[in-house]
């Protein structure tokens, strides 16, 4: 089913308006956050302390497998092209 056939004419306008409003609100919120952090040195430290917490979320195993497969394909392509391995790249097992 096509996206265009699922919705009529005015639904597109409503959808784009909602997405645009959310985007503008996000930018506005981030700008207020930056102004708050600049106004209070403690606020800046709090933001710097909280943003690294994003890295605590685990990477899904499927994504890790995709990355490993991509790396293996790159190594195979380099070996097939006949380029000598450089010092900074690990040799495949």
């Amino acid at each position: 089913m096509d996206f265009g056939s699922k919705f009529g004419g005015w639904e597109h306008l409503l959808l784009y308006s909602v997405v645009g409003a959310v985007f503008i609100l996000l930018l506005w919120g981030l700008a207020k956050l930056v102004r708050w952090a600049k106004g209070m040195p403690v606020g800046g430290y709090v933001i710097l302390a909280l943003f690294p917490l994003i890295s605590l979320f685990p990477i899904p195993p499927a994504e890790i497998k995709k990355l490993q497969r991509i790396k293996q394909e790159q190594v195979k392509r380099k070996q097939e092209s006949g380029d000598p391995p450089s010092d900074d790249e690990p040799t495949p097992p």
Side-chain angles (χ1 to χ4, degrees):
M1 186 188 252
D2 188 13
F3 181 77
S5 65
K6 185 189 261 187
F7 297 104
W10 64 273
E11 287 90 353
H12 285 277
L13 180 61
L14 179 65
L15 178 68
Y16 293 139
S17 300
V18 169
V19 169
V22 168
F23 183 72
I24 289 171
L25 284 174
L26 180 67
L27 288 178
W28 177 77
L30 288 174
K32 282 195 68 101
L33 183 68
V34 168
R35 274 187 259 128
W36 173 75
K38 284 183 177 180
M40 293 178 20
V42 175
Y45 288 124
V46 169
I47 289 175
L48 287 174
L50 292 179
F51 278 140
L53 293 177
I54 295 171
S55 65
L56 294 178
F57 295 114
I59 299 173
E63 294 299 319
I64 294 173
K65 288 179 183 178
K66 285 181 191 176
L67 291 173
Q68 289 174 346
R69 188 180 68 233
I70 290 170
K71 287 180 184 178
Q72 288 175 353
E73 289 173 1
Q74 287 176 346
V75 169
K76 284 181 184 177
R77 273 190 243 129
K78 281 195 171 195
Q79 287 176 348
E80 289 174 358
S81 68
D83 292 339
S86 63
D87 295 335
D88 59 342
E89 293 178 8
T91 57

